[in-house]
Amino acid sequence: MAKAFKRTRKGITGFLEPAERDLIGKLFGDVISMLEIERKDEDPLAAMVGLDLDAAKPQDAALLRLLPDAVQHDDGEALEFRRLTERSLREDKLGALRASALLLEHSPMQLTDEQARLFARAANDVRLVLAERLDIHTDEDAQALHEIDDWSQAEDLETYLALVYNFMTWLQETLMQALLDGLERHRGDER
C-alpha cells in the first residue's frame, strides 16, 4: 500500500506498490495520448516561435479542462489566444507527464523539490481528466466521491474511477504537504 510523501534528508520520499506505480504510469500515458496531436504539413517558422495556427477549442470536455479557454465570452479572442499559447501549454504538460512517468520507475521515490512539483502537476492533470469523466464540478461533487474508499466495492466503472480519483487526490495532497514542509523549514532557517 502506498505511503504518503514525506520530506526527509534525501528529499521528498514516497513509496508506491508496483501495481500503484503501474496504474499511475498508465494514467500519465492516457493523458499524454490526449495531449499529443499529429502535425502534418506544419509551417516550420510557426512551430519555431510556438504558434499553432490549427489550434481549435477541444471537443472532448476533459481535454478542454486541461486546455481551457483563456478568454471568456469572446470566442474569437479565445481562439486567437489559444493559437498563440496552446502549443507551449501542451508541451509543458507533456514534459511534466513524461518526466513524472520516469520518476515512477524508482522505489521508493526520492524527489527533489523540482521533481516533486513536476509530479504534482502531472497528478493534477490526471485528476482534472478524472474529474471531468466523473462530472465533478463543485466541492460538493468531490466531497460526495471522497466517501467511496473501499476497493472491494469497485463493481462498476464509475466507482473504480472515483477510487482512482481519491487515490490521486490523496497522493497529490501528501506531495504538496511535503513541499510546504520544505518551505516552512526554509523560512525557519532564515530567521
Side-chain angles (χ1 to χ4, degrees), residues 12-46:
I12 295 176
T13 303
F15 176 79
L16 297 168
E17 292 287 341
E20 294 164 334
R21 288 195 317 268
D22 187 49
L23 170 66
I24 296 168
K26 287 178 181 175
L27 292 167
F28 287 166
D30 289 345
V31 177
I32 287 169
S33 295
M34 290 176 69
L35 288 167
E36 288 178 327
I37 55 175
E38 190 175 322
R39 301 186 189 278
K40 298 177 186 174
D41 303 322
E42 183 174 45
D43 179 348
L45 182 59

Side-chain angles (χ1 to χ4, degrees), residues 117-147:
R117 284 189 293 272
L118 281 174
F119 197 88
R121 287 175 37 212
N124 191 60
D125 284 344
V126 167
R127 288 182 63 245
L128 287 172
V129 170
L130 289 169
E132 187 58 40
R133 298 296 189 235
L134 290 164
D135 203 27
I136 299 172
H137 296 283
T138 66
D139 290 339
E140 291 78 22
D141 295 340
Q143 189 58 40
L145 287 183
H146 284 305
E147 296 171 9

Side-chain angles (χ1 to χ4, degrees), residues 14 25 33 44 69 75 87 95 105-106 116 147 155 158 170 175 180-181:
S33 295
D69 282 334
D75 292 343
R87 175 188 296 269
E105 294 176 6
H106 304 285
E147 296 171 9
E155 296 175 0
E158 188 171 332
W170 171 81
L175 186 55
L180 288 171
D181 291 346

Side-chain angles (χ1 to χ4, degrees), residues 64-126:
L64 183 59
R65 216 162 196 194
L66 291 173
L67 305 168
D69 282 334
V71 179
Q72 300 299 316
H73 312 298
D74 187 335
D75 292 343
E77 287 293 319
L79 182 58
E80 185 62 25
F81 193 82
R82 184 176 293 282
R83 287 179 177 154
L84 295 171
T85 62
E86 186 172 292
R87 175 188 296 269
S88 62
L89 180 58
R90 280 180 189 265
E91 289 172 358
D92 189 50
K93 288 179 177 292
L94 286 166
L97 287 157
R98 287 182 177 126
S100 297
L102 291 174
L103 294 171
L104 288 169
E105 294 176 6
H106 304 285
S107 183
M109 292 176 66
Q110 292 182 333
L111 310 175
T112 64
D113 282 5
E114 183 174 339
Q115 290 170 325
R117 284 189 293 272
L118 281 174
F119 197 88
R121 287 175 37 212
N124 191 60
D125 284 344
V126 167

Side-chain angles (χ1 to χ4, degrees), residues 184-191:
E184 291 171 10
R185 284 186 192 167
H186 182 71
R187 284 187 194 142
D189 293 343
E190 289 179 349
R191 293 180 187 159

